[in-house]
Amino acid sequence: MISKNLIKLIKSLEQKKYRKREKLFVAEGPKVVGDLMALMAPQRVIATSEWYKGKQVSEDVVVTEDEIRKVSFLQHPQDVLALFELPEIEELPAEQLCDHLTLALDDVQDPGNLGTIIRLADWFGIEHILCNLGTADAYSPKVVQATMGSIARVKLHYTNLAEYLEQLQDAVPVYGTFLDGNNLYAEKLSPSGIIIMGNEGNGISEQVERYVTKRLLIPSYPAERPTAESLNVAIATAITCAEFRRKN
């Protein structure tokens, strides 16, 4: 049976200030919880007896399906919910960027978009994402769920992105997507560098744009036909990362 205090704790973790205070975040579902448990020990596990069957883990709180609904953040609750310790991730040293492809997010605010981008980074072998301070919190329940477990393998670094890029002093190429950029498919793309993706409504901010050394455009087809005004930022990230990996 799940206690009232534990219910209160779990529900509080929907808000960033309580995640920060308790140094915990919530993960739900066998896939997400399983991927996280492969890398870190959960602080608490709340699950049905069905989930525990055949697993070599110490039972924590065994609940019924009705009980798990009381604490779940999902529309359709699953058999397991777990609390994990928030990771302490240090600032990413500039020298680590020289040999790797890194994503940077300039205030991407939609939790679904952020979670999908983390999942994309995992798929394309991108281990680090730089996040401007206005970017959604990666450890909110909605973002964690949208990553489908990739949050366990991708490190997110929250920083003042413009100040961080200024410190690089042209050490690596910095790419950004713009409506007046050069055709992504015609450009030579380096195997390492930073790919900046902008805010859903405003794109890349002026403060960050000044550090972009290579402007890219994802062209529509055919060029002369009226088309959608823009692409969703997660879709644009997928297209851009795929082209970088295809060419390198």
PDB file of all heavy atoms in Angstrom, residues 1-13 44 46 61 63 67 70-71 83:
ATOM      1  N   MET A   1       0.843  -1.198   0.000  1.00  0.00           N
ATOM      2  CA  MET A   1       0.000   0.000   0.000  1.00  0.00           C
ATOM      3  C   MET A   1       0.875   1.244   0.000  1.00  0.00           C
ATOM      4  O   MET A   1       1.920   1.281   0.659  1.00  0.00           O
ATOM      5  CB  MET A   1      -0.921  -0.007   1.223  1.00  0.00           C
ATOM      6  CG  MET A   1      -1.852   1.179   1.279  1.00  0.00           C
ATOM      7  SD  MET A   1      -3.000   1.009   2.661  1.00  0.00           S
ATOM      8  CE  MET A   1      -3.899   2.549   2.482  1.00  0.00           C
ATOM      9  N   ILE A   2       0.454   2.245  -0.736  1.00  0.00           N
ATOM     10  CA  ILE A   2       1.241   3.470  -0.851  1.00  0.00           C
ATOM     11  C   ILE A   2       0.764   4.482   0.201  1.00  0.00           C
ATOM     12  O   ILE A   2      -0.440   4.706   0.363  1.00  0.00           O
ATOM     13  CB  ILE A   2       1.132   4.049  -2.277  1.00  0.00           C
ATOM     14  CG1 ILE A   2       2.075   5.232  -2.462  1.00  0.00           C
ATOM     15  CG2 ILE A   2      -0.289   4.406  -2.663  1.00  0.00           C
ATOM     16  CD1 ILE A   2       2.253   5.647  -3.896  1.00  0.00           C
ATOM     17  N   SER A   3       1.710   5.076   0.926  1.00  0.00           N
ATOM     18  CA  SER A   3       1.362   5.992   2.009  1.00  0.00           C
ATOM     19  C   SER A   3       0.970   7.362   1.475  1.00  0.00           C
ATOM     20  O   SER A   3       1.324   7.746   0.353  1.00  0.00           O
ATOM     21  CB  SER A   3       2.542   6.152   2.963  1.00  0.00           C
ATOM     22  OG  SER A   3       3.596   6.855   2.318  1.00  0.00           O
ATOM     23  N   LYS A   4       0.252   8.120   2.299  1.00  0.00           N
ATOM     24  CA  LYS A   4      -0.152   9.477   1.921  1.00  0.00           C
ATOM     25  C   LYS A   4       1.062  10.373   1.722  1.00  0.00           C
ATOM     26  O   LYS A   4       1.078  11.230   0.837  1.00  0.00           O
ATOM     27  CB  LYS A   4      -1.083  10.063   2.988  1.00  0.00           C
ATOM     28  CG  LYS A   4      -2.461   9.419   3.036  1.00  0.00           C
ATOM     29  CD  LYS A   4      -3.346  10.086   4.073  1.00  0.00           C
ATOM     30  CE  LYS A   4      -4.730   9.449   4.102  1.00  0.00           C
ATOM     31  NZ  LYS A   4      -5.609  10.069   5.135  1.00  0.00           N
ATOM     32  N   ASN A   5       2.077  10.196   2.547  1.00  0.00           N
ATOM     33  CA  ASN A   5       3.291  11.016   2.417  1.00  0.00           C
ATOM     34  C   ASN A   5       4.013  10.744   1.099  1.00  0.00           C
ATOM     35  O   ASN A   5       4.527  11.672   0.472  1.00  0.00           O
ATOM     36  CB  ASN A   5       4.241  10.750   3.587  1.00  0.00           C
ATOM     37  CG  ASN A   5       3.767  11.403   4.869  1.00  0.00           C
ATOM     38  OD1 ASN A   5       2.961  12.343   4.842  1.00  0.00           O
ATOM     39  ND2 ASN A   5       4.248  10.905   6.001  1.00  0.00           N
ATOM     40  N   LEU A   6       4.027   9.474   0.694  1.00  0.00           N
ATOM     41  CA  LEU A   6       4.685   9.142  -0.573  1.00  0.00           C
ATOM     42  C   LEU A   6       3.876   9.687  -1.749  1.00  0.00           C
ATOM     43  O   LEU A   6       4.452  10.188  -2.722  1.00  0.00           O
ATOM     44  CB  LEU A   6       4.866   7.626  -0.697  1.00  0.00           C
ATOM     45  CG  LEU A   6       5.635   7.132  -1.931  1.00  0.00           C
ATOM     46  CD1 LEU A   6       6.991   7.828  -2.059  1.00  0.00           C
ATOM     47  CD2 LEU A   6       5.822   5.619  -1.885  1.00  0.00           C
ATOM     48  N   ILE A   7       2.560   9.603  -1.659  1.00  0.00           N
ATOM     49  CA  ILE A   7       1.712  10.180  -2.700  1.00  0.00           C
ATOM     50  C   ILE A   7       1.982  11.680  -2.826  1.00  0.00           C
ATOM     51  O   ILE A   7       2.147  12.221  -3.927  1.00  0.00           O
ATOM     52  CB  ILE A   7       0.220   9.938  -2.400  1.00  0.00           C
ATOM     53  CG1 ILE A   7      -0.115   8.446  -2.525  1.00  0.00           C
ATOM     54  CG2 ILE A   7      -0.667  10.749  -3.342  1.00  0.00           C
ATOM     55  CD1 ILE A   7      -1.524   8.097  -2.084  1.00  0.00           C
ATOM     56  N   LYS A   8       2.052  12.358  -1.691  1.00  0.00           N
ATOM     57  CA  LYS A   8       2.302  13.800  -1.677  1.00  0.00           C
ATOM     58  C   LYS A   8       3.663  14.128  -2.287  1.00  0.00           C
ATOM     59  O   LYS A   8       3.803  15.079  -3.060  1.00  0.00           O
ATOM     60  CB  LYS A   8       2.227  14.312  -0.247  1.00  0.00           C
ATOM     61  CG  LYS A   8       2.371  15.822  -0.124  1.00  0.00           C
ATOM     62  CD  LYS A   8       2.229  16.266   1.329  1.00  0.00           C
ATOM     63  CE  LYS A   8       2.414  17.783   1.450  1.00  0.00           C
ATOM     64  NZ  LYS A   8       2.299  18.222   2.867  1.00  0.00           N
ATOM     65  N   LEU A   9       4.665  13.316  -1.943  1.00  0.00           N
ATOM     66  CA  LEU A   9       6.009  13.536  -2.490  1.00  0.00           C
ATOM     67  C   LEU A   9       6.006  13.377  -4.002  1.00  0.00           C
ATOM     68  O   LEU A   9       6.538  14.233  -4.727  1.00  0.00           O
ATOM     69  CB  LEU A   9       6.994  12.550  -1.863  1.00  0.00           C
ATOM     70  CG  LEU A   9       8.394  12.503  -2.503  1.00  0.00           C
ATOM     71  CD1 LEU A   9       9.100  13.840  -2.349  1.00  0.00           C
ATOM     72  CD2 LEU A   9       9.224  11.374  -1.902  1.00  0.00           C
ATOM     73  N   ILE A  10       5.434  12.293  -4.487  1.00  0.00           N
ATOM     74  CA  ILE A  10       5.430  12.035  -5.935  1.00  0.00           C
ATOM     75  C   ILE A  10       4.710  13.150  -6.677  1.00  0.00           C
ATOM     76  O   ILE A  10       5.211  13.665  -7.687  1.00  0.00           O
ATOM     77  CB  ILE A  10       4.789  10.664  -6.242  1.00  0.00           C
ATOM     78  CG1 ILE A  10       5.670   9.537  -5.683  1.00  0.00           C
ATOM     79  CG2 ILE A  10       4.598  10.484  -7.752  1.00  0.00           C
ATOM     80  CD1 ILE A  10       5.005   8.179  -5.699  1.00  0.00           C
ATOM     81  N   LYS A  11       3.547  13.543  -6.196  1.00  0.00           N
ATOM     82  CA  LYS A  11       2.782  14.598  -6.854  1.00  0.00           C
ATOM     83  C   LYS A  11       3.542  15.923  -6.865  1.00  0.00           C
ATOM     84  O   LYS A  11       3.458  16.695  -7.822  1.00  0.00           O
ATOM     85  CB  LYS A  11       1.428  14.771  -6.163  1.00  0.00           C
ATOM     86  CG  LYS A  11       0.441  13.649  -6.448  1.00  0.00           C
ATOM     87  CD  LYS A  11       0.114  13.566  -7.935  1.00  0.00           C
ATOM     88  CE  LYS A  11      -0.959  12.554  -8.235  1.00  0.00           C
ATOM     89  NZ  LYS A  11      -1.237  12.433  -9.692  1.00  0.00           N
ATOM     90  N   SER A  12       4.293  16.195  -5.813  1.00  0.00           N
ATOM     91  CA  SER A  12       5.059  17.450  -5.756  1.00  0.00           C
ATOM     92  C   SER A  12       6.151  17.510  -6.814  1.00  0.00           C
ATOM     93  O   SER A  12       6.540  18.593  -7.252  1.00  0.00           O
ATOM     94  CB  SER A  12       5.682  17.623  -4.364  1.00  0.00           C
ATOM     95  OG  SER A  12       6.801  16.758  -4.179  1.00  0.00           O
ATOM     96  N   LEU A  13       6.627  16.346  -7.256  1.00  0.00           N
ATOM     97  CA  LEU A  13       7.735  16.304  -8.209  1.00  0.00           C
ATOM     98  C   LEU A  13       7.327  16.692  -9.621  1.00  0.00           C
ATOM     99  O   LEU A  13       8.163  16.732 -10.522  1.00  0.00           O
ATOM    100  CB  LEU A  13       8.379  14.917  -8.204  1.00  0.00           C
ATOM    101  CG  LEU A  13       9.014  14.498  -6.866  1.00  0.00           C
ATOM    102  CD1 LEU A  13       9.569  13.095  -6.951  1.00  0.00           C
ATOM    103  CD2 LEU A  13      10.098  15.487  -6.450  1.00  0.00           C
ATOM    104  N   ARG A  44      13.113   4.963  -5.038  1.00  0.00           N
ATOM    105  CA  ARG A  44      11.886   4.262  -4.670  1.00  0.00           C
ATOM    106  C   ARG A  44      11.300   3.634  -5.926  1.00  0.00           C
ATOM    107  O   ARG A  44      11.396   4.209  -7.012  1.00  0.00           O
ATOM    108  CB  ARG A  44      10.832   5.210  -4.067  1.00  0.00           C
ATOM    109  CG  ARG A  44      11.240   5.931  -2.808  1.00  0.00           C
ATOM    110  CD  ARG A  44      11.525   4.998  -1.657  1.00  0.00           C
ATOM    111  NE  ARG A  44      10.388   4.232  -1.203  1.00  0.00           N
ATOM    112  CZ  ARG A  44       9.556   4.639  -0.254  1.00  0.00           C
ATOM    113  NH1 ARG A  44       9.695   5.816   0.322  1.00  0.00           N
ATOM    114  NH2 ARG A  44       8.562   3.854   0.143  1.00  0.00           N
ATOM    115  N   ILE A  46       7.562   2.012  -7.166  1.00  0.00           N
ATOM    116  CA  ILE A  46       6.159   1.760  -6.881  1.00  0.00           C
ATOM    117  C   ILE A  46       5.626   0.982  -8.066  1.00  0.00           C
ATOM    118  O   ILE A  46       5.591   1.493  -9.192  1.00  0.00           O
ATOM    119  CB  ILE A  46       5.375   3.072  -6.686  1.00  0.00           C
ATOM    120  CG1 ILE A  46       5.914   3.848  -5.478  1.00  0.00           C
ATOM    121  CG2 ILE A  46       3.890   2.799  -6.513  1.00  0.00           C
ATOM    122  CD1 ILE A  46       6.997   4.838  -5.801  1.00  0.00           C
ATOM    123  N   VAL A  61       7.567  -0.787  -2.986  1.00  0.00           N
ATOM    124  CA  VAL A  61       6.139  -0.621  -2.689  1.00  0.00           C
ATOM    125  C   VAL A  61       5.344  -1.373  -3.744  1.00  0.00           C
ATOM    126  O   VAL A  61       5.399  -1.029  -4.923  1.00  0.00           O
ATOM    127  CB  VAL A  61       5.733   0.873  -2.676  1.00  0.00           C
ATOM    128  CG1 VAL A  61       4.248   0.998  -2.310  1.00  0.00           C
ATOM    129  CG2 VAL A  61       6.588   1.651  -1.692  1.00  0.00           C
ATOM    130  N   VAL A  63       1.827  -2.243  -5.286  1.00  0.00           N
ATOM    131  CA  VAL A  63       0.515  -1.596  -5.295  1.00  0.00           C
ATOM    132  C   VAL A  63      -0.400  -2.263  -6.312  1.00  0.00           C
ATOM    133  O   VAL A  63       0.043  -3.031  -7.164  1.00  0.00           O
ATOM    134  CB  VAL A  63       0.645  -0.090  -5.636  1.00  0.00           C
ATOM    135  CG1 VAL A  63       1.428   0.643  -4.566  1.00  0.00           C
ATOM    136  CG2 VAL A  63       1.291   0.097  -7.009  1.00  0.00           C
ATOM    137  N   GLU A  67      -4.194   1.844  -7.243  1.00  0.00           N
ATOM    138  CA  GLU A  67      -3.302   2.683  -6.426  1.00  0.00           C
ATOM    139  C   GLU A  67      -2.290   3.432  -7.286  1.00  0.00           C
ATOM    140  O   GLU A  67      -1.982   4.592  -7.023  1.00  0.00           O
ATOM    141  CB  GLU A  67      -2.587   1.816  -5.391  1.00  0.00           C
ATOM    142  CG  GLU A  67      -3.468   1.368  -4.240  1.00  0.00           C
ATOM    143  CD  GLU A  67      -2.710   0.490  -3.266  1.00  0.00           C
ATOM    144  OE1 GLU A  67      -2.131  -0.533  -3.692  1.00  0.00           O
ATOM    145  OE2 GLU A  67      -2.690   0.836  -2.072  1.00  0.00           O
ATOM    146  N   LYS A  70      -3.318   6.716  -8.735  1.00  0.00           N
ATOM    147  CA  LYS A  70      -3.348   7.882  -7.841  1.00  0.00           C
ATOM    148  C   LYS A  70      -2.081   8.726  -7.946  1.00  0.00           C
ATOM    149  O   LYS A  70      -2.105   9.917  -7.643  1.00  0.00           O
ATOM    150  CB  LYS A  70      -3.529   7.429  -6.389  1.00  0.00           C
ATOM    151  CG  LYS A  70      -4.861   6.772  -6.104  1.00  0.00           C
ATOM    152  CD  LYS A  70      -4.939   6.335  -4.650  1.00  0.00           C
ATOM    153  CE  LYS A  70      -6.257   5.638  -4.341  1.00  0.00           C
ATOM    154  NZ  LYS A  70      -6.321   5.188  -2.920  1.00  0.00           N
ATOM    155  N   VAL A  71      -0.981   8.116  -8.350  1.00  0.00           N
ATOM    156  CA  VAL A  71       0.288   8.851  -8.389  1.00  0.00           C
ATOM    157  C   VAL A  71       0.826   9.050  -9.810  1.00  0.00           C
ATOM    158  O   VAL A  71       1.780   9.788 -10.024  1.00  0.00           O
ATOM    159  CB  VAL A  71       1.373   8.132  -7.548  1.00  0.00           C
ATOM    160  CG1 VAL A  71       1.020   8.216  -6.072  1.00  0.00           C
ATOM    161  CG2 VAL A  71       1.532   6.682  -7.981  1.00  0.00           C
ATOM    162  N   LEU A  83      11.262   6.635  -8.566  1.00  0.00           N
ATOM    163  CA  LEU A  83      11.915   7.907  -8.267  1.00  0.00           C
ATOM    164  C   LEU A  83      13.427   7.714  -8.384  1.00  0.00           C
ATOM    165  O   LEU A  83      13.985   6.756  -7.848  1.00  0.00           O
ATOM    166  CB  LEU A  83      11.571   8.381  -6.857  1.00  0.00           C
ATOM    167  CG  LEU A  83      10.077   8.500  -6.502  1.00  0.00           C
ATOM    168  CD1 LEU A  83       9.924   9.091  -5.113  1.00  0.00           C
ATOM    169  CD2 LEU A  83       9.341   9.333  -7.530  1.00  0.00           C
TER     170      LEU A  83
END
